[in-house]
Amino acid sequence: MMTLALLAAPVTLLADDGSPIEVRLPRIEAAVEVDGVLDEPVWTEAVVVSGFSQYLPVDGRPAEDSTVVLVWYSPTAIHFGIRAYEAHGEVRANLADRDKIQSDDNIQILLDTFNDQRQAYVFGVNPLGAQADGILRDAARRAGMMQVGSEGAYEIDLSPDFVFKSKGRVTAYGYEVEVQIPFKSLRYQSEDVQDWGFNVIRRVQHSGYENTWTPVLQAEASFLAQSGAMTGLTDLRRGLVLDVTPEFTSSVAGAPVDEGWEYGQVDPELGGNVRWGVTNNLTLNGTVNPDFSQVEADVAQIQFDPRQSLFFPEKRPFFLDGIELFSMPNQLIYTRRIADPRGAVKLTGKVSGTNLALLSAVDARSTSATGDDHRIYNLLRVRRDLGGQSTLGAAYTDKIDGDNYNRVAAVDGRFVLAKKYALTFQGAASFTRRSGETTSAPLWDLRVDREGRRFGFNYSMRGIHDDFRAESGFFSRVGITTVAFTPRYTVFGKPGSTLESWTGSVSLLGTWDYERFVDGKIPNDPKLHLNSSFSFKGGWAVGGSFLIESFKYPPELYTNYFIERTDETGAVVDTVAYTGTDRFRNLDVVFNLLTPRFQRFSGSLFLIYGRDENFFEWAPADILFIFLSTDWRPTEKLRVNFRYDHQHYIRFDDKSNVGIRRIPRLKLEYQLTPSLFLRVVGQYDAYFVDELRDNSRTDDPILIFDPNTGAFNRTEKFRRNDFRVDWLVSYRPTPGTVFFFGYGSSLDEPNTFRFRGLDRTSDGFFIKLSYLFRA
C-alpha cells in the first residue's frame, strides 16, 4: 500500500543545467504521532526525495543502498519520514545518548533556513531514533599526518542542542525513521514566502560510505552550495518563543583531616536561563548564575610542545546557544574565559544578510586580579554575506578588570572564487592596559585553499605579535609567525576495488619568532612532512607520515635553568647559566589507523616514533607517542570506551627514561532508556620525570633557580600517580530538562598502576536539576 502511495507522490528530479535541485513541499494542516511508523494518510501527500549518490570516500557514484525521504510541513513544524534500505549489510543501531550516534548508521538532515549557503542546522538520528544535532559549516578539505581517509568539506559542531522529536525502528528492508522539527527551535527568514537550503546525508557504517541526496562533488570549495532547496514555504507559525529554564545545583566536597574524613558545607545555588525569540531571526538570551554542567572531569591532555596552551571546550547551555555566530578564522571569542558569571545577556541572529552576535557578562569578584572587582566582558561579532558564499566580518571584544582592560578589534573575510578557491583573511589589533601602561600589537592571518577532486592545496600564513593579547579568546601560542603549504593529490580506485582512494601530500611548514620573521631570517622550526593516506573498502583507513624537522633552542623556556659544574672527584666547582644547543634535527615516523564502525567494535590508533627534542633537558631523545581509542558495544544498551594516551622520552645516549606520562581512561555507560543512563569513568594519570642533566653537552646536573629564595635547587625524580573515578546518573528527556546526580573521588598512590595503598585525597557529591518551560 505504501509503495503505491510513494509512486503516486511527486518525486524530485535532478537539475541538468547545474542549478540547485528544488522541491516544493506541501503545506498540510495535520497532526501526526511521531512513532517511527509512516502509516498516517498525510504521508501519502508528502513530497518524495530520492536518488542519493556517494560523496565519501569517492564522489559521483550512485549510492549502493537506496534512501527515500518524505517531507511535508504543517503550520508549526516540518516533518520528515525516512526509509533507508540495506541490501548489502546489517543495520548498525544502538540505544544511544544524545550526540553519541557516530558509531551507528545515521541520517543527517541539513536545513539552511536563511538559504545563504554558509551554515546549516543539522538534525541527526540513528535507526532507533536516538538524536544528534548541531551546526554544519563549510570548511576546506585538508590532508596531513593527523588524519586518514578522505575528509569532507564541512565541519559539524555538536555543541548546540535543539528541541525536536524523532522515533525509529529496524525493519526487514533496513530501517525507518520519523522526525518532527518545530519552527520554535529554528531561526529563519522573516519573508512571507521563503526558500530554504536542504540536503540529507546518510552514513552507512557497514561500508563506510557517506551518501548525499543532491550530488556533492569534492572538487568544489563549498559543500552547502551544492545542496538542494525547499521552495515556496509560507505562513510558518513560530508562535511565542519563550523558554525559561530554572536550575538548581548543589555540591559538597570532602577532604582528609587528622581524625579521618570531613565534608564541608553543602553549597546550593539557584540560577536559570531565559530564551526569547524577539523575531523569527533574532533571539535574546539571559542568564543568572549559569551552571557549568561539569558532570565529569575534563579529559586529561598531553602536550606535544610546552609552549602551547591546552584547549577545553565550552559546556554551559547558555553559552552554547548561538555559539556558531561567534565563530571566525581565529578564536578571538572563547566564552570559557568567563569563568564564574553572575549574569549575562546575549543577542544573536541574522538581519538582512548580516549575522549578529552580542554578549555581555559580569564575572564574579573572585575571578578578578584584585578579588574586589567584577570582570566585565562585552563581545561583538558581525558578519555580512557578499553574494555566493563570500562574507565580510568584524569583531570587537572588551574585557575590563578594575583599572585594567584588554580590547581587540578585528576584520575578516572569506571569498569563494570559481567554485574551487577559497581565500580567508583576518587582521586584528589588541590594546591592553596593565598597571597604568598601555600596549598595542597586531595579528594577521591569510589562508588560500584550492579544492579539487584529484589535486588541491592549502596555504596559510599567520603572524601574532609578542604583545598581542586576546584575553576574551584563545590562542595556543603567541609571539610567532607560521607559514604552511600543503599540496595534495588523490587517486580513486575502480568501483568494487579494495582500495577506495589514496591521498598523498607534502607539507612544508615554518615557525618563526615574530621579530625573527620580520627581520627576514630563516625559521626557528622548519619542517617537511611527507604524508600518505589510504581508504579501503569497508571503512578501513590507514595513514603514515615521514617527518623531517629542525628545532631551534627556545631560551624563554630555560631562564631559570643553571648548570652545576663538578670536577673529576664530583665536587661542585661552579654554577653557570644554562645555554642549550642551538638546534636539533628530528626524524619521526607517524602511523595512523582507523577501523570500520563494526556492529560491536570500532577503534583508532595514532603513533609517533623517532628522534625528537626532549624539552625537559633540551636534548635529543627517542620518543614514543601513542593515542589509542576503542569503542565496544557488547549490547544495544551498554557502551564501553577505552582511551590510552602515552608520552615517552628516552635519552639518546644511555637509553634511560627522562619522562613518561601514561593516561588510561575507561568509560562505561548503560543506557536504560533513550533519556536515562548510568555512567562511570575511571582515569589514571601516571607521570614520571627523572633527575635532569645537561644531556646534549656536559651531562652535568641541572639546577632550578628559585627567584623567591635565591636558591639553586637540584632537580629530583618526580612521580605522580593520580586516579580519578566519577559516577553519574543522568536523566535528560529533552534539552534543558535534566537531572544529574554524581559522585567523584580523587586518589593517589606511591607506585604506578599497583592499585595498592591508594590514598583518597578528595571527593564530592553534586546534584543538578533543571526544567525547560516552553511557552
Side-chain angles (χ1 to χ4, degrees), residues 17 28 211 288 433 762:
D17 60 357
I28 306 171
N211 304 323
V288 175
R433 184 169 68 186
S762 66

Side-chain angles (χ1 to χ4, degrees), residues 48-117:
V48 180
V49 298
S50 58
F52 281 60
S53 59
Q54 189 182 140
Y55 171 55
L56 290 177
V58 183
D59 60 353
R61 294 177 180 172
E64 290 185 354
D65 300 287
S66 61
T67 309
V68 176
V69 181
L70 289 74
V71 195
W72 59 280
Y73 71 104
S74 68
T76 59
I78 188 167
H79 300 257
F80 298 88
I82 300 105
R83 279 197 171 87
Y85 293 86
E86 275 284 9
H88 301 88
E90 62 181 342
V91 173
R92 310 281 170 83
N94 293 278
L95 197 62
D97 188 28
R98 191 177 202 90
D99 295 335
K100 302 289 181 63
I101 66 172
Q102 63 271 18
S103 296
D104 298 335
D105 288 305
N106 60 76
I107 296 290
Q108 300 167 38
I109 299 166
L110 311 185
L111 296 179
D112 179 3
T113 56
F114 289 94
N115 200 27
D116 59 13
Q117 300 175 352

Side-chain angles (χ1 to χ4, degrees), residues 444 465-466 479-481 512-524 552:
W444 44 268
H465 193 278
D466 300 68
I480 60 172
T481 298
W512 289 257
D513 290 338
Y514 188 87
E515 293 300 333
R516 185 180 177 90
F517 177 83
V518 173
D519 293 340
K521 297 181 180 180
I522 66 170
N524 295 64
K552 184 174 176 56

Side-chain angles (χ1 to χ4, degrees), residues 657-773:
N657 294 324
V658 63
I660 307 175
R661 192 172 184 192
R662 292 166 286 180
I663 309 174
R665 180 182 176 91
L666 181 67
K667 178 164 67 175
L668 293 87
E669 292 180 315
Y670 190 77
Q671 198 80 34
L672 284 82
T673 71
S675 304
L676 177 65
F677 73 83
L678 307 174
R679 177 167 69 204
V680 59
V681 179
Q683 176 176 284
Y684 198 109
D685 190 346
Y687 190 37
F688 167 80
V689 179
D690 197 15
E691 297 173 355
L692 303 183
R693 59 181 190 256
D694 186 15
N695 189 230
S696 67
R697 301 180 306 162
T698 66
D699 259 353
D700 288 332
I702 289 177
L703 307 178
I704 307 297
F705 175 69
D706 186 343
N708 296 319
T709 64
F712 294 89
N713 303 310
R714 268 203 182 197
T715 60
E716 298 179 351
K717 287 185 179 181
F718 168 78
R719 189 182 299 274
R720 185 189 70 209
N721 300 304
D722 295 332
F723 183 46
R724 173 77 185 181
V725 179
D726 289 289
W727 300 79
L728 176 72
V729 178
S730 171
Y731 177 67
R732 181 169 54 175
T734 60
T737 298
V738 300
F739 167 74
F740 293 148
F741 176 74
Y743 168 77
S745 180
S746 296
L747 308 93
D748 62 20
E749 63 174 343
N751 299 311
T752 306
F753 296 126
R754 299 294 179 86
F755 294 96
R756 294 194 297 269
L758 283 168
D759 184 23
R760 187 161 50 122
T761 58
S762 66
D763 72 351
F765 296 86
F766 73 89
I767 189 172
K768 174 181 176 179
L769 292 167
S770 69
Y771 188 83
L772 172 63
F773 292 94

Side-chain angles (χ1 to χ4, degrees), residues 164-325:
F164 69 104
K165 294 181 180 180
S166 61
K167 285 292 178 78
R169 62 193 180 96
V170 176
T171 66
Y173 59 80
Y175 61 93
E176 186 172 271
V177 176
E178 183 177 358
V179 178
Q180 180 192 89
I181 304 170
F183 296 134
K184 281 181 181 289
S185 296
L186 303 173
R187 294 186 181 94
Y188 52 88
Q189 308 156 53
S190 56
E191 284 79 2
D192 293 334
V193 181
Q194 303 185 22
D195 297 342
W196 288 5
F198 167 57
N199 211 340
V200 180
I201 300 172
R202 178 182 173 189
R203 181 72 180 177
V204 183
Q205 296 295 2
H206 73 77
S207 64
Y209 292 164
E210 189 170 288
N211 304 323
T212 56
W213 165 50
T214 61
V216 180
L217 303 178
Q218 299 181 24
E220 298 194 12
S222 174
F223 180 89
L224 288 176
Q226 302 178 72
S227 297
M230 301 172 173
T231 62
L233 301 175
T234 62
D235 193 17
L236 309 183
R237 301 174 191 172
R238 242 179 146 212
L240 174 64
V241 177
L242 182 61
D243 295 345
V244 180
T245 311
E247 297 177 343
F248 169 79
T249 61
S250 183
S251 62
V252 59
V257 294
D258 293 338
E259 299 179 356
W261 198 261
E262 182 175 274
Y263 286 94
Q265 286 188 329
V266 177
D267 184 22
E269 292 192 29
L270 289 174
N273 304 321
V274 177
R275 175 178 178 266
W276 174 39
V278 182
T279 65
N280 292 346
N281 49 10
L282 279 177
T283 301
L284 182 66
N285 298 71
T287 187
V288 175
N289 196 25
D291 170 59
F292 200 75
S293 296
Q294 191 74 329
V295 297
E296 65 183 49
D298 281 314
V299 178
Q301 298 183 42
I302 285 178
Q303 287 180 301
F304 287 92
D305 188 330
R307 293 169 291 185
Q308 295 183 337
S309 302
L310 296 177
F311 177 83
F312 295 95
E314 178 62 86
K315 297 183 179 182
R316 294 166 289 186
F318 168 81
F319 292 104
L320 291 175
D321 185 40
I323 196 171
E324 70 279 0
L325 298 176

